[in-house]
Amino acid sequence: MAKRKQLRTDISWSTEDTITIKGLDLCRDIMGKVSLGDMAFLELTDRLPDERESRVFNALAVILVEHGMTPSAIVTRMTICGAPEAMQAAVAAGLNGLGSVFVGSMENAARLLQTALPDPAAEVDIAALARQIVEQERSSGRTIPGIGHHIHKPVDPRAPRLFDIAEENGFSGPYVALMKAVADEAGRQLGKSLPVNATGAIAAVASELQIPWDIVRGIGVMARAIGLVAHVLEELRDPMAREIKAMVEEQATAHHR
Amino acid sequence: MAKRKQLRTDISWSTEDTITIKGLDLCRDIMGKVSLGDMAFLELTDRLPDERESRVFNALAVILVEHGMTPSAIVTRMTICGAPEAMQAAVAAGLNGLGSVFVGSMENAARLLQTALPDPAAEVDIAALARQIVEQERSSGRTIPGIGHHIHKPVDPRAPRLFDIAEENGFSGPYVALMKAVADEAGRQLGKSLPVNATGAIAAVASELQIPWDIVRGIGVMARAIGLVAHVLEELRDPMAREIKAMVEEQATAHHR
Amino acid sequence: MAKRKQLRTDISWSTEDTITIKGLDLCRDIMGKVSLGDMAFLELTDRLPDERESRVFNALAVILVEHGMTPSAIVTRMTICGAPEAMQAAVAAGLNGLGSVFVGSMENAARLLQTALPDPAAEVDIAALARQIVEQERSSGRTIPGIGHHIHKPVDPRAPRLFDIAEENGFSGPYVALMKAVADEAGRQLGKSLPVNATGAIAAVASELQIPWDIVRGIGVMARAIGLVAHVLEELRDPMAREIKAMVEEQATAHHR
Amino acid sequence: MAKRKQLRTDISWSTEDTITIKGLDLCRDIMGKVSLGDMAFLELTDRLPDERESRVFNALAVILVEHGMTPSAIVTRMTICGAPEAMQAAVAAGLNGLGSVFVGSMENAARLLQTALPDPAAEVDIAALARQIVEQERSSGRTIPGIGHHIHKPVDPRAPRLFDIAEENGFSGPYVALMKAVADEAGRQLGKSLPVNATGAIAAVASELQIPWDIVRGIGVMARAIGLVAHVLEELRDPMAREIKAMVEEQATAHHR
């Protein structure tokens, strides 16, 4: 038998009369004092947010809760229709699609910003850095994440609103500046308006909050779980899954009839 | 082609420059004003909570975020170990187990309370109703949900704390009274102490907040999604999944060697 | 520290140079000799099928592989569209909906048959038993599983075909007779033609193969996993998920415009 | 309303009295004639295998069904323990972990082979190509997929067995030769024995069967779904999930006591 590595968690532990989470006593320090959003911040960063961090983090997180009839919402609805006894599986199914295409672009934008600017306190030429980023992304054939939007034109209204909230609370630093500069530079190089979208604003503001880029997708996952429960409920009360199925099947097999 | 039912959602819709969620403008009415927990309340109930509802709902929800090394947390960790590029799938896998055994008992307790007392304003003899519930559950061979705890003895500390917060905010009404009376009656009939546990307290307080019982499991699902992201993070930083796998495999196949 | 129960698996174990599955050596006894379908039978029943069992089991299993644009297939396609890097999560999402409504009816039919006739060798009056089952299901308000079909009229062609294959191979015993008698009796009592459908035929034939009813859903799960991979592939080659999303969103939010 | 792309599937469609799958009539052409493994081949490649292809494909697929107490199997068991009413969700949870680490290496090996040798009929110097592959993988810091094994030493017995079956049936062509040459070359460059493992053998043989590399992971997903059903069953009959949970929790939180 090989020598085993010791298992170790520091998230939570219990005794007969206490539950400790990230060093805080659940009953004494958290319940009645910490909101669900601040609890999420605690789970992500190992500490409670101060008041300004809380305002910014919650503003950022609520953007991600609900986007209407997304592929994820459709998935959750189709799933609850087949397994109404397993709401958790319907939400789980909906989360499975939060990969590189939708939520992943937020992660990519955050990685771009944090990789380009590992130390937010460093003195840098933001415009030069933005130029370098845009050139590098374009030359490697990648789409620059966090800018432009196919529906919200000319401007995704969530982005300026989140930037305003960040600024009011002292979180409009170098990452926000860099994200805006990347959008400007990309617009200039590509000859069209490509303002920062919600994804880019979230990535920049999360970076200001010192949330590591490889965690950023997790904010989307937790927020969307909330929204998907609402779709379960509406589907249970006023279903559309069978209609969608009938419509898709009819259209997709019409050429075989 | 059959006449189709019209698809219809009233959760969220967008135009080029607005996003509306449950009738509120995301940028103007929600961002910067509504916390993630209150957003969850909005998604579940179609309206924002007032201040007291918010305190009680958030206190209830934070209980469900994090329970340490639960089966769900182990599932999420084993999954991220095999698919580190798909954090969303690891959280989804963890949620899949929130069925009848763990989170379901909360749902059962809420159903019991709301079925026994469909109108919280009705005049009822709580003690008699509790006696009736306990007798009926026992005679049908079911475990009474929401009472007793295998670790937290003599009392699950979350239950009295949640009841206190509910009371301070005016939400200690007939469902809380009934849940406590059921625990008392069950303890009397079974001859042992069976105080209300966290599950029972949440079910009672959710009922006070007028959250329908068939939605209650959803609070657990959304809250646990938050907690599972924290387990993804710890597993990425300080993994234990391979150790667990090696330990389980070694023990479970030892008799074949 | 409490005394622990010993972990134990008897499905598979390995040494440096052998892999054993259900007591058989993978390389020597299985590879090149056992087909995937017979391997599934082995996994479900702890022994390899004989030739006749193999023919019947494979005929039964292939029915469950592919049903076109089902809710599950739509789920898998919507999921791969958001997370093309995680094919396994797309199949997983699709499986999540195989609950009580679709695959569950097969389980219910098998439970009905095996509960009514625990010993297939017992002498029973099949017609009387069928009458009793139909009366009991009707009086408890349940839909009788395994009969009738909303598309395949007058007869689901898979049912007589599976019954023929079962008969040719000596597996047309009391469960098949009982399933047919239930369909006849229900048709008589309800005054319309309600022939055995694919679900009922599978339940009956699985019972003839001595597959316990609480395993029957598993055949659907494994078979459908195969079919969902085909939908991943078609979606990757010729996508429809974004179209479905656009169509659903447009229709479902039209009344808000 | 934008012009919509026409939805289209060519996998399966139904009329009142027929079900067609990949152009074949389910009842007439498939049931009783096509085994589950050959059905999987049909779903993956749009045609039925001939006898030799069937033998090779089934031999390849059965390898992937069952690997004992893998992370996936543990996940499925932990999940069924919390949601015993949702077997499909337990299998789904287990599949979620079949990502880049485990099943993905098979995909990577197949991609390597098919990218290096897009036309299997081309005249190539296999040894030179292998040298080029090993150098390129090493210089880019990647692990060469498909070779070496941490348990099965000196040789993973599945690899030579699968190669033998492939050869007996006429499927030992350039991809098998290239995979073996890569293993030889890597062993030489790294100065240790690194024989082709099961992953590499499957990748090579799947390539011989002309299965595109981006589908190869799907064979693992479908096969493992079969195996995970067996773990559901053993867990329902003789559970270990609660023990695993207790053991993990105790060890991982010991330092907090």
Side-chain angles (χ1 to χ4, degrees):
Chain A
M1 172 174 168
K3 184 70 177 61
R4 293 274 175 250
K5 186 190 159 199
Q6 179 61 46
L7 309 184
R8 179 189 176 106
T9 184
D10 291 304
I11 297 177
S12 175
W13 55 95
S14 298
T15 64
E16 281 198 2
D17 53 5
T18 62
I19 294 131
T20 307
I21 299 175
K22 301 272 187 185
L24 301 177
D25 183 285
L26 172 62
C27 294
R28 193 189 60 210
D29 304 328
I30 297 177
M31 287 174 67
K33 295 177 181 162
V34 175
S35 73
L36 187 66
D38 290 1
M39 182 81 184
F41 188 95
L42 172 67
E43 288 276 276
L44 286 171
T45 67
D46 290 352
R47 63 183 181 82
L48 287 172
D50 66 26
E51 207 176 305
R52 298 178 319 145
E53 288 170 321
S54 170
R55 271 200 297 271
V56 175
F57 178 76
N58 277 279
L60 179 162
V62 295
I63 298 177
L64 294 162
V65 168
E66 181 61 68
H67 293 198
M69 295 305 302
T70 56
S72 280
I74 295 171
V75 162
T76 289
R77 286 166 178 269
M78 302 310 281
T79 305
I80 199 75
C81 151
E85 69 283 2
M87 178 197 288
Q88 75 281 3
V91 175
L95 293 182
N96 268 324
L98 300 181
S100 61
V101 177
F102 302 124
V103 178
S105 66
M106 197 164 76
E107 180 179 291
N108 291 341
R111 178 169 46 189
L112 202 71
L113 296 172
Q114 296 181 19
T115 306
L117 198 58
D119 174 8
E123 289 279 329
V124 287
D125 180 338
I126 293 286
L129 195 54
R131 204 156 44 238
Q132 192 187 314
I133 288 173
V134 172
E135 276 157 12
Q136 164 201 309
E137 295 298 296
R138 288 185 67 202
S139 75
S140 64
R142 287 193 287 269
T143 305
I144 300 166
I147 60 176
H149 201 281
H150 68 295
I151 293 172
H152 298 298
K153 291 172 183 167
V155 173
D156 181 338
R158 298 166 291 185
R161 180 73 182 112
L162 183 59
F163 284 147
D164 284 352
I165 294 167
E167 184 154 30
E168 287 159 26
N169 290 284
F171 286 95
S172 191
Y175 293 112
V176 169
L178 182 56
M179 191 69 234
K180 289 175 174 174
V182 165
D184 284 349
E185 179 64 30
R188 191 156 31 242
Q189 288 194 25
L190 295 162
K192 55 179 172 177
S193 171
L194 287 168
V196 179
N197 59 27
T199 292
I202 290 170
V205 172
S207 300
E208 297 289 344
L209 289 168
Q210 301 187 46
I211 296 175
W213 68 262
D214 65 348
I215 297 185
V216 165
R217 188 189 298 199
I219 310 175
V221 172
M222 52 174 68
R224 201 58 74 81
I226 295 173
L228 290 175
V229 173
H231 285 273
V232 167
L233 305 181
E234 194 179 60
E235 183 67 26
L236 290 174
R237 305 297 189 241
D238 186 11
M240 68 170 83
R242 284 169 190 272
E243 272 313 299
I244 295 174
K245 187 264 186 193
M247 194 166 73
V248 169
E249 185 176 52
E250 189 176 281
Q251 290 194 23
T253 64
H255 60 296
H256 287 294
R257 282 164 215 287
Chain B
M1 174 176 167
K3 184 71 179 63
R4 295 273 175 251
K5 186 189 160 201
Q6 179 62 45
L7 308 184
R8 180 189 173 105
T9 184
D10 291 305
I11 297 177
S12 175
W13 55 94
S14 297
T15 64
E16 281 198 2
D17 53 4
T18 62
I19 293 132
T20 307
I21 300 175
K22 301 272 187 186
L24 300 177
D25 183 284
L26 172 62
C27 294
R28 192 189 62 210
D29 304 327
I30 297 177
M31 288 175 66
K33 296 177 180 163
V34 176
S35 73
L36 188 66
D38 291 1
M39 182 82 184
F41 188 94
L42 172 66
E43 287 276 277
L44 287 172
T45 68
D46 291 351
R47 63 182 182 83
L48 288 172
D50 66 26
E51 208 176 304
R52 298 177 319 144
E53 287 170 322
S54 170
R55 271 201 297 270
V56 174
F57 178 76
N58 277 280
L60 179 162
V62 295
I63 298 178
L64 293 162
V65 169
E66 181 60 70
H67 294 197
M69 294 305 301
T70 56
S72 278
I74 295 171
V75 162
T76 289
R77 287 167 178 269
M78 303 310 281
T79 305
I80 200 74
C81 151
E85 69 283 2
M87 178 198 286
Q88 75 281 4
V91 175
L95 293 183
N96 268 323
L98 299 181
S100 60
V101 177
F102 301 123
V103 178
S105 66
M106 197 163 76
E107 180 179 291
N108 292 341
R111 177 168 46 188
L112 202 71
L113 295 173
Q114 296 182 19
T115 306
L117 197 57
D119 174 8
E123 288 279 329
V124 288
D125 179 340
I126 293 285
L129 195 54
R131 202 156 48 238
Q132 192 187 315
I133 288 173
V134 171
E135 277 158 10
Q136 164 201 310
E137 295 298 297
R138 289 185 65 202
S139 75
S140 63
R142 286 192 289 268
T143 306
I144 299 165
I147 60 176
H149 201 283
H150 68 294
I151 294 171
H152 298 298
K153 292 172 183 167
V155 172
D156 181 339
R158 297 166 292 186
R161 180 74 181 110
L162 183 60
F163 283 147
D164 284 353
I165 294 168
E167 184 153 30
E168 287 159 25
N169 290 284
F171 286 95
S172 191
Y175 293 112
V176 169
L178 181 57
M179 191 70 235
K180 289 176 173 173
V182 165
D184 285 349
E185 180 64 30
R188 189 155 36 239
Q189 288 193 25
L190 295 161
K192 55 180 171 176
S193 172
L194 286 168
V196 179
N197 60 27
T199 290
I202 290 170
V205 172
S207 301
E208 297 289 344
L209 289 167
Q210 301 187 46
I211 295 174
W213 68 262
D214 66 349
I215 297 186
V216 164
R217 189 189 298 199
I219 310 175
V221 172
M222 54 175 67
R224 201 59 73 80
I226 295 173
L228 291 175
V229 173
H231 285 274
V232 167
L233 304 181
E234 195 179 61
E235 183 68 25
L236 290 174
R237 306 295 190 241
D238 186 13
M240 68 170 82
R242 283 169 190 273
E243 273 313 300
I244 295 173
K245 187 264 185 192
M247 194 165 74
V248 169
E249 185 176 51
E250 188 176 282
Q251 289 194 23
T253 63
H255 60 295
H256 287 294
R257 281 163 214 286
Chain C
M1 171 174 169
K3 184 71 177 61
R4 294 275 175 247
K5 185 191 160 199
Q6 179 62 45
L7 309 184
R8 179 190 174 106
T9 185
D10 292 305
I11 298 177
S12 174
W13 56 95
S14 298
T15 64
E16 282 198 3
D17 52 7
T18 61
I19 294 131
T20 307
I21 299 175
K22 301 275 188 183
L24 300 177
D25 183 284
L26 173 61
C27 294
R28 193 188 59 210
D29 304 328
I30 297 178
M31 288 174 66
K33 296 178 181 162
V34 176
S35 73
L36 188 66
D38 291 1
M39 182 82 185
F41 188 94
L42 173 68
E43 287 277 276
L44 286 172
T45 67
D46 289 353
R47 63 182 182 83
L48 287 173
D50 66 26
E51 207 177 304
R52 297 177 319 144
E53 287 169 323
S54 171
R55 270 200 298 269
V56 175
F57 179 75
N58 277 279
L60 179 162
V62 295
I63 298 178
L64 294 162
V65 168
E66 180 61 68
H67 294 198
M69 295 306 301
T70 56
S72 279
I74 296 171
V75 161
T76 289
R77 285 167 178 269
M78 303 310 281
T79 305
I80 199 75
C81 151
E85 69 283 2
M87 177 198 287
Q88 75 282 1
V91 175
L95 293 182
N96 268 324
L98 299 181
S100 61
V101 177
F102 301 123
V103 177
S105 66
M106 198 164 75
E107 180 179 293
N108 291 341
R111 177 168 46 190
L112 202 71
L113 296 172
Q114 296 182 18
T115 307
L117 196 58
D119 174 9
E123 289 278 330
V124 287
D125 179 338
I126 293 285
L129 196 54
R131 203 158 44 239
Q132 193 186 314
I133 288 173
V134 172
E135 276 158 11
Q136 165 201 309
E137 294 298 296
R138 289 185 67 201
S139 75
S140 64
R142 286 192 288 268
T143 305
I144 299 165
I147 60 175
H149 201 281
H150 68 297
I151 293 172
H152 298 298
K153 290 172 185 165
V155 172
D156 182 338
R158 297 165 292 185
R161 180 74 181 111
L162 184 59
F163 283 148
D164 284 352
I165 294 168
E167 185 154 29
E168 286 158 25
N169 290 283
F171 286 95
S172 191
Y175 293 112
V176 169
L178 181 57
M179 191 68 234
K180 289 176 174 175
V182 165
D184 284 349
E185 180 64 31
R188 192 157 30 242
Q189 288 194 24
L190 295 161
K192 55 180 170 177
S193 172
L194 287 169
V196 179
N197 59 26
T199 292
I202 291 170
V205 172
S207 300
E208 297 290 344
L209 290 167
Q210 302 188 45
I211 296 174
W213 68 263
D214 66 348
I215 298 185
V216 164
R217 188 189 298 200
I219 310 175
V221 172
M222 52 174 69
R224 201 58 73 82
I226 294 173
L228 292 174
V229 173
H231 285 273
V232 166
L233 304 182
E234 194 179 60
E235 184 67 25
L236 290 174
R237 305 297 189 241
D238 186 13
M240 68 169 84
R242 283 169 191 272
E243 273 313 300
I244 295 175
K245 188 262 186 195
M247 194 165 74
V248 169
E249 185 175 52
E250 189 176 282
Q251 290 194 22
T253 64
H255 60 294
H256 287 296
R257 280 164 214 285
Chain D
M1 173 177 169
K3 184 70 178 61
R4 294 274 175 251
K5 186 190 160 200
Q6 179 62 45
L7 308 184
R8 180 190 174 106
T9 185
D10 292 304
I11 298 178
S12 174
W13 55 96
S14 298
T15 64
E16 282 198 2
D17 53 5
T18 60
I19 293 130
T20 307
I21 300 176
K22 300 274 188 184
L24 300 178
D25 183 283
L26 172 62
C27 294
R28 193 189 59 210
D29 303 328
I30 298 178
M31 288 175 66
K33 296 177 180 162
V34 176
S35 74
L36 188 65
D38 290 1
M39 182 83 183
F41 188 95
L42 172 67
E43 287 277 275
L44 286 172
T45 67
D46 291 350
R47 62 181 183 84
L48 288 173
D50 65 25
E51 208 176 304
R52 297 177 319 144
E53 287 169 324
S54 171
R55 272 201 297 271
V56 174
F57 179 74
N58 277 279
L60 179 162
V62 295
I63 298 177
L64 293 162
V65 169
E66 181 61 70
H67 295 195
M69 295 305 301
T70 56
S72 279
I74 295 171
V75 162
T76 288
R77 286 166 178 271
M78 303 310 281
T79 305
I80 200 75
C81 151
E85 69 283 2
M87 178 198 287
Q88 75 281 3
V91 175
L95 293 183
N96 268 323
L98 299 182
S100 61
V101 178
F102 301 124
V103 177
S105 66
M106 197 164 76
E107 180 179 292
N108 291 342
R111 177 168 46 190
L112 202 70
L113 296 173
Q114 295 181 18
T115 306
L117 196 58
D119 175 9
E123 288 280 329
V124 287
D125 179 339
I126 294 285
L129 195 55
R131 204 156 47 239
Q132 193 186 314
I133 288 173
V134 172
E135 275 158 12
Q136 164 201 309
E137 294 299 295
R138 289 185 66 201
S139 75
S140 64
R142 288 193 287 269
T143 305
I144 298 165
I147 60 176
H149 200 282
H150 68 295
I151 293 173
H152 298 297
K153 290 173 184 164
V155 172
D156 181 338
R158 297 166 291 186
R161 180 76 180 110
L162 183 59
F163 283 147
D164 284 352
I165 294 167
E167 185 155 28
E168 288 159 25
N169 290 283
F171 287 94
S172 192
Y175 294 112
V176 168
L178 181 57
M179 191 69 234
K180 288 177 174 173
V182 165
D184 285 350
E185 180 65 31
R188 190 156 33 241
Q189 288 194 25
L190 295 162
K192 55 179 171 177
S193 172
L194 286 169
V196 179
N197 60 27
T199 291
I202 290 170
V205 173
S207 300
E208 296 290 344
L209 289 167
Q210 302 187 45
I211 296 174
W213 68 262
D214 65 348
I215 297 184
V216 164
R217 189 189 298 199
I219 311 175
V221 172
M222 52 174 68
R224 202 59 74 80
I226 295 173
L228 291 175
V229 173
H231 285 273
V232 166
L233 304 182
E234 194 179 63
E235 183 67 26
L236 290 173
R237 307 294 190 242
D238 186 13
M240 67 170 82
R242 283 170 190 273
E243 273 314 300
I244 295 174
K245 189 264 184 190
M247 195 165 72
V248 169
E249 185 174 53
E250 189 176 281
Q251 289 194 23
T253 64
H255 60 294
H256 287 295
R257 280 163 214 286

